[in-house]
Amino acid sequence: MLEEISFQIRDNFETKNKIREEGLKISREIVRECRTASFALHGKDFEKADSSINAAGRALKKLKSRFKGHADIYHAGFVEHAQQEYSEVAVLYGLLKEEGKIQNLPSPDELGVEYAAYLNGLGDLVGELRRHVLDLIREEAFEKAEVFLGIMENIHAVLMDFDYPDAITGGLRRKTDISRSLIEKTRGDVVNSIQQKKLELAMKSLESRL
C-alpha cells in the first residue's frame, strides 16, 4: 500500500517538474521578447517592438494553458515575473506609439495577466519612462518631456492607492517607493534642463545686443 502511495506521489511530482521546466523555458522566452521590444521602442522601431510584443503574448497564453491544474507551480513566481515584463512593455508601447496619450492603454484583462502583475509592471514602467524623458531632454523636446513626467507622476499616484499587504500586491509597495525616487530625479533633470536652456538663450540674446 505504501509503495502504491509513493508511486502515485512520485508520478505527480514528475509531471509537475516537467511542466515547471517547460514553464521556465517559456517564461524566459517571454522576458527575452519583452526586452527586445523595449530596446526597439527606445530606438523608435515600433514594427519590431510590435512583433516581439505579439510573440510574448502568444507565449504567455501558452504558458497559462500549460499550467492548468497546477496552480501551485503557476504561482511560484516566474509566471508573475513574465506577466510583469509583458504588462510593462505593452503599456510602454501604447504610450510611446500614441506620444503620451493614455486613453487607450491595454488593461490587465485585455493582456491576460494577473492584477498584481499588471500593477508591478506599471511600477517598473516608471523607470522606462525616465529613460524616455532623458532621451527627450537630449533632443531638447522639453514639452514632451514634461508630458511624460506627468505620466510618471500619474502612475505613481495610482499605485499609491493600492495600500494592501504584499501578499496581495506582490511586493508593490517597494516598487512604488522606487518610482517616487525616480520621479524626483527626473523632475530635477527636466527643471534643470529647461532652466539651462533659458539661460543659454538669454546669453545669446545678450551677446547679439553687444
Side-chain angles (χ1 to χ4, degrees), residues 45-197:
D45 189 345
F46 291 101
E47 185 176 348
K48 183 177 181 180
D50 185 53
S51 176
S52 290
I53 291 170
N54 287 333
R58 290 191 298 270
L60 196 61
K61 289 179 181 178
K62 181 180 177 182
L63 189 63
K64 289 186 71 173
S65 65
R66 194 71 186 91
F67 277 94
K68 284 183 178 179
H70 299 278
D72 51 344
I73 310 176
Y74 180 82
H75 293 289
F78 57 88
V79 175
E80 184 176 3
H81 175 63
Q83 290 185 350
Q84 288 179 24
E85 294 277 345
Y86 180 62
S87 300
E88 175 188 356
V89 77
V91 177
L92 178 64
Y93 176 87
L95 288 172
L96 298 191
K97 186 76 181 293
E98 298 299 324
E99 296 187 340
K101 296 177 182 177
I102 61 174
Q103 290 84 357
N104 298 314
L105 295 182
S107 70
D109 292 334
E110 290 170 337
L111 295 176
V113 301
E114 304 293 335
Y115 290 166
Y118 184 85
L119 291 175
N120 278 277
L122 290 182
D124 290 332
L125 175 62
V126 171
E128 291 297 318
L129 291 177
R130 169 173 166 76
R131 179 179 171 184
H132 183 60
V133 169
L134 293 178
D135 287 340
L136 291 172
I137 289 174
R138 281 190 286 271
E139 296 169 7
E140 297 188 353
F142 299 121
E143 288 187 7
K144 288 184 178 181
E146 289 181 304
V147 168
F148 279 95
L149 173 60
I151 293 171
M152 293 169 67
E153 292 171 336
N154 190 13
I155 290 172
H156 179 261
V158 169
L159 297 182
M160 285 287 291
D161 284 340
F162 291 92
D163 187 20
Y164 296 94
D166 286 347
I168 295 176
T169 65
L172 181 63
R173 186 178 291 109
R174 175 177 171 275
K175 291 193 177 183
T176 303
D177 291 341
I178 292 173
S179 69
R180 183 193 299 116
S181 174
L182 292 175
I183 289 168
E184 290 173 356
K185 290 179 182 178
T186 308
R187 185 184 299 113
D189 291 329
V190 171
V191 170
N192 290 338
S193 298
I194 291 174
Q195 289 178 341
Q196 183 178 346
K197 187 61 179 180

